[in-house]
Amino acid sequence: MSKITYSAPGKCIITGEHSVVYGTPALVTALDIRAYSTVELTDDNCITIFGSDLGITGVFPTSLEVSPEVDPETLSVLRPIWISCSKTLERGNKNVGLKVEINSEIPLSVGLGSSAAIAVSTVAAVGHALGISLGKEEISSIAFEAEKAVHGTPSGVDNSVATFGGVMTYERGKIQYINVRSEVPLVIGNTLKERNTGEWVAKVRYRHDRHPTVIDHIINAIADLTRKAEKAIKDGDLKSLGELMNINQGLLYSLGVSTVELDRLVYIARKAGAYGAKLTGAGGGGCIIALSTHEKQDEIASAIRKAKGEPITTKFSQQGVRFEK
Ligand code: PMV
């Protein structure tokens, strides 16, 4: 039987992480690094998942009602992919098996939306292989079910950005797309330290409980700079966007979510010529993003590598989920 491949993009938060938990906007973009899901129908009535980059393989029942015979680690890594497959089979009302192979350019567990990109590309590929026509809204909402299994109460922004691509603001569950006219190059610096989003959200909550008025000022300042960052993106004003990212980094530091490794990569990227640099996502590890020109990208990437971070040269992307072959 023929193989179908779809891909979906990773994401980064440009500004507004953490404050978004308190109801203010976050600015998010799709990136041009992608996860790929290749699907083949089988007649063995099970879902076999090969996670090449996850370094793990597992065989699952087609129904979520049946307990899989896999070890707990395999289950925890592959469960969202199993859910994506099973929910799509259920939607198509088909009784077949699947072979699914996942490849990802998006590093895992560092705030770049890998799990949502994998879920979205898998749902789209399974839907196509089954011959059912899934609209983007439906792909996103099935992938959201899988995201809930990984993140508990995700905002829904990761599956939206992986499905639709582009730049968007996210505020109290509402997504608004932003028109970006110019190309926006970025260099990501991965500290290679995985982190748990819930743990860092709880740390900020603790600081907020202890010093509510002080932390509320910081949250409001992040909200203000995010609105200005949105305007800077619309205007193609990368210099202002970089300044606002630097201010956001200072405020994230004050919330207690930066680390020595993140700070080091931020300073190194700025010194190598970035317009601005900040941590992205929950903090405590994970990645920084450095806003760059095309000319400076290589210099910033090699400075990050020298400082023992892993650089990824990328840019804002308009492309959401897409058929590959
Ligand atoms: O690192 P990520 O992609 O899980 O982003 C976390 C963003 C937070 O604002 C810290 C949490 C949230 O739920 O919005």
Side-chain angles (χ1 to χ4, degrees), residues 11 13 17-18 20-21 111 195 197 201 281-282:
K11 70 101 204 335
I13 299 179
E17 50 275 268
H18 285 290
V20 68
V21 173
R195 85 277 106 83
T197 299
V201 169

Side-chain angles (χ1 to χ4, degrees), residues 30-65:
L31 299 170
D32 74 342
I33 46 175
R34 306 180 70 86
Y36 297 80
S37 186
T38 300
V39 170
E40 200 178 348
L41 301 187
T42 62
D43 46 22
D44 58 3
N45 219 20
C46 57
I47 300 169
T48 306
I49 305 169
F50 299 95
S52 313
D53 301 299
L54 312 171
I56 212 159
T57 293
V59 180
F60 295 81
T62 51
S63 163
L64 297 173
E65 309 284 303

Side-chain angles (χ1 to χ4, degrees), residues 121-312:
S121 57
T122 301
V123 171
V126 173
H128 187 139
L130 294 176
I132 55 175
S133 119
L134 295 176
K136 284 194 172 176
E137 285 295 348
E138 204 173 0
I139 292 173
S140 184
S141 85
I142 298 174
F144 186 54
E145 296 298 315
E147 280 285 275
K148 283 191 216 160
V150 203
H151 298 301
T153 51
S155 61
V157 73
D158 283 18
N159 47 289
S160 299
V161 77
T163 305
F164 295 99
V167 182
M168 58 186 73
T169 57
Y170 176 85
E171 186 171 7
R172 294 179 193 270
K174 281 222 318 259
I175 285 167
Q176 217 149 23
Y177 290 89
I178 298 172
N179 235 335
V180 182
R181 274 161 293 155
S182 49
E183 198 159 87
V184 183
L186 280 183
V187 184
I188 289 168
N190 185 354
T191 62
L192 301 173
K193 194 171 159 214
E194 293 188 4
R195 85 277 106 83
N196 178 300
T197 299
E199 182 186 331
W200 291 88
V201 169
K203 284 187 183 173
V204 173
R205 175 73 63 191
Y206 178 72
R207 197 165 273 200
H208 184 263
D209 287 348
R210 284 183 55 76
H211 309 286
T213 51
V214 178
I215 300 298
D216 280 341
H217 284 304
I218 296 176
I219 289 169
N220 289 335
I222 296 176
D224 271 0
L225 74 84
T226 295
R227 289 189 192 98
K228 285 188 181 245
E230 180 187 345
K231 181 169 185 315
I233 289 174
K234 283 181 182 156
D235 295 345
D237 179 359
L238 299 191
K239 183 169 182 284
S240 297
L241 180 60
E243 282 169 5
L244 293 161
M245 286 167 58
N246 287 342
I247 297 169
N248 197 170
Q249 171 63 21
L251 296 168
L252 286 163
Y253 178 93
S254 307
L255 291 179
V257 299
S258 202
T259 63
V260 173
E261 292 83 5
L262 288 165
D263 288 343
R264 185 182 304 130
L265 295 187
V266 161
Y267 279 105
I268 271 169
R270 288 178 192 162
K271 203 163 159 227
Y275 285 121
K278 63 179 275 293
L279 70 85
T280 184
C287 297
I288 66 133
I289 51 170
L291 187 67
S292 171
T293 57
H294 282 298
E295 295 72 40
K296 291 273 179 195
Q297 268 186 314
D298 286 348
E299 208 172 310
I300 296 169
S302 67
I304 288 172
R305 190 172 291 111
K306 243 190 234 158
K308 308 238 176 329
E310 189 174 87
I312 304 173

